[in-house]
Amino acid sequence: MYGNDFNVPDEVAGAGLGAGAPGGPSHLLDEVAAAERALREAGAARVADPGVAADGDELLRYFDAVIEADQKIEPRDWMPDAYRQGLIRQIAQHAHSEIIGMQPEGNWISRAPSLKRKAILLAKVQDEAGHGLYLYAAAETLGVSRDALVELLLAGRQKYSSIFNYPTLTWADVGAIGWLVDGAAIVNQVPLCRCSYGPYARAMIRICKEESFHQRQGYEILHTLAHGTPGQKAMAQDAVNRWWYPSLAMFGPPDADSTHSQQSMTWKIKRFSNDELRQRFVDMCVQQASVLGLDIPDPDLRWNEQRQAHDYTQPDYTELMRVIKGDGPCNRQRAAHRHAAHADGAWVREAAAAYAAKRNAPTTKAAA
Ligand code: FAQ
């Protein structure tokens, strides 16, 4: 997990955050590598195609067989309309989250405490833009245009993750976002590398590898602050206090209230339920927080020997629903900023379209 740019403190290695430790980021990267291998194998062994003359029942049987065999549905394959629409919904929300997610951290690019910190943050925020592009491209393979999805975001008709409606008040928030928000994103997204839809699974493999760097940069910022002056440590703790519950809420409503989980799991889009992933995240963070020397702001957090997992306080799901519906601390600001950025970028889109048209125009040979 840790490269040569960050000396691994002894207690970090000892606390299970070294290579391949259970629950640690390297362990998650091992899962990404396994998903990548499985993806290649699935591509090499296809369930026999029913052929072009197949009727509806045969096509559905073929689709179910591909899912059952853990192979991938590709854009050329027949798929039920609800599968297509469900994927468009989730991938679009995911893409929009990456794009809106640039704002809270972008807020600190010009105020990063050193040139090195600024360069790292800039690279991270650029990565998020790239993730948005991979995901819009994956959604386009389902027959929807990126322009149409962007319009739906701008019109407030498609969602993005609740987490990005919270403000970044101090530099430590950049660390807390990296550690907790990117950490939650990885825990949620590593299983998506095994998603049944090929283009989404392939995009997720690349994204997860990059998210691992993001989590590490946040962890390193918090580690530095937590081992700095008492004021810096207090700033780090305050950031963790504010980001903990919104990060838990990122995993979505509890299973009993989740509209899509059951169908998504049957179709192997999702591999684990919202609550299963939330639990995995909590268990991963406890050990990491102790190494940071920071407290998780939950007095009821404790190891449950019987469940072999931590008991913890659930986030406020009423607040989650309020934020999703547009009434979070920064929803209006985020939407206004995206509208302005889209309008400011109009000339770039026009120039790119004009250039593409020029390149594609038939060439006329100059008269001799
Ligand atoms: N925020 O039935 P479920 C990142 C909605 S990327 C907003 O459980 P599902 C990287 C849900 O859409 C973060 N809405 O839904 C980064 C549904 O509404 P609908 C984004 C939420 O799909 C880091 C309704 O509630 N990651 O962080 C939320 O089965 C740092 C009912 O929910 C992804 O998008 C929420 N938190 O499970 C970037 C991952 N939770 O559509 C920059 C892919 C639920 O019926 C800086 N997505 N809703 O109107 C998923 O894994 C799933 O879609 C879930 C939700 C788990 C988010």
Side-chain angles (χ1 to χ4, degrees):
M1 168 61 186
Y2 295 100
N4 56 11
D5 58 338
F6 179 46
N7 293 329
V8 185
D10 289 345
E11 73 271 25
V12 174
L17 289 171
S26 309
H27 186 66
L28 291 170
L29 277 179
D30 291 344
E31 282 187 45
V32 175
E36 196 170 6
R37 279 193 301 276
L39 197 53
R40 284 208 197 92
E41 285 161 19
R46 296 285 293 170
V47 169
D49 191 306
V52 281
D55 65 17
D57 286 349
E58 277 174 294
L59 289 168
L60 185 57
R61 269 197 300 278
Y62 171 67
F63 172 85
D64 287 341
V66 171
I67 302 274
E68 174 66 25
D70 253 337
Q71 293 176 4
K72 302 297 162 193
I73 300 293
E74 295 296 341
R76 62 177 177 271
D77 292 329
W78 180 89
M79 61 190 88
D81 197 49
Y83 178 83
R84 186 185 298 277
Q85 296 310 325
L87 275 169
I88 292 174
R89 175 193 69 83
Q90 177 167 326
I91 300 174
Q93 284 180 12
H94 194 166
H96 299 330
S97 304
E98 301 282 357
I99 299 303
I100 299 282
M102 293 160 70
Q103 292 188 36
E105 290 172 296
N107 180 32
W108 280 90
I109 290 174
S110 59
R111 291 180 285 160
S114 71
L115 182 60
K116 183 180 147 198
R117 297 276 181 212
K118 182 172 173 146
I120 294 170
L121 184 57
L122 200 56
K124 181 192 189 262
V125 173
Q126 281 176 336
D127 278 356
E128 309 299 1
H131 296 175
L133 293 185
Y134 310 156
L135 289 163
Y136 285 127
E140 284 192 307
T141 66
L142 291 156
V144 61
S145 77
R146 177 172 146 197
D147 282 351
L149 296 178
V150 170
E151 285 307 323
L152 287 169
L153 170 68
L154 292 173
R157 289 176 49 211
Q158 274 185 341
K159 299 185 168 82
Y160 59 86
S161 180
S162 52
I163 193 75
F164 302 117
N165 293 306
Y166 292 85
T168 40
L169 304 180
T170 70
W171 170 250
D173 287 23
V174 175
I177 290 185
W179 178 43
L180 295 174
V181 176
D182 286 289
I186 298 174
V187 169
N188 168 263
Q189 291 173 17
V190 165
L192 292 175
C193 296
R194 303 177 76 94
C195 162
S196 58
Y197 187 58
Y200 193 23
R202 287 189 284 275
M204 289 319 305
I205 284 173
R206 185 154 175 186
I207 290 175
C208 284
K209 288 180 182 172
E210 292 174 0
E211 293 290 10
S212 159
F213 151 73
H214 296 174
Q215 191 202 20
R216 161 178 157 176
Q217 66 85 37
Y219 192 85
E220 195 265 342
I221 289 174
L222 284 186
H223 192 273
T224 304
L225 291 174
H227 293 81
T229 65
Q232 287 172 325
K233 183 167 182 180
M235 184 167 75
Q237 184 62 59
D238 170 63
V240 170
N241 292 350
R242 283 181 290 106
W243 288 92
W244 175 251
Y245 286 105
S247 300
L248 292 189
M250 277 175 78
F251 292 92
D255 292 352
D257 300 332
S258 168
T259 330
H260 305 289
S261 283
Q262 208 179 354
Q263 182 61 77
S264 288
M265 286 169 74
T266 305
W267 278 333
K268 297 184 181 170
I269 295 171
K270 281 167 90 160
R271 296 290 182 147
F272 298 97
S273 74
N274 298 354
D275 288 335
E276 283 169 334
L277 292 174
R278 198 171 359 250
Q279 178 74 59
R280 188 175 184 182
F281 175 67
V282 171
D283 292 339
M284 187 178 96
C285 287
V286 170
Q287 221 174 8
Q288 296 177 357
S290 78
V291 174
L292 285 173
L294 296 173
D295 296 323
I296 289 178
D298 179 358
D300 294 326
L301 181 75
R302 59 182 56 87
W303 179 248
N304 182 323
E305 193 59 38
Q306 207 180 355
R307 292 197 309 115
Q308 287 292 298
H310 290 88
D311 291 337
Y312 64 96
T313 306
Q314 295 291 320
D316 180 349
Y317 293 114
T318 314
E319 176 179 318
L320 171 66
M321 288 307 146
R322 213 175 47 237
V323 175
I324 291 178
K325 287 192 180 123
D327 196 19
C330 301
N331 294 60
R332 289 161 196 82
Q333 182 185 331
R334 300 293 184 238
H337 189 87
R338 181 89 294 276
H339 274 269
H342 190 71
D344 286 350
W347 70 271
V348 180
R349 293 190 297 279
E350 280 163 24
Y355 180 68
K358 199 168 153 189
R359 277 179 59 123
N360 292 337
T363 46
T364 47
K365 275 203 178 139

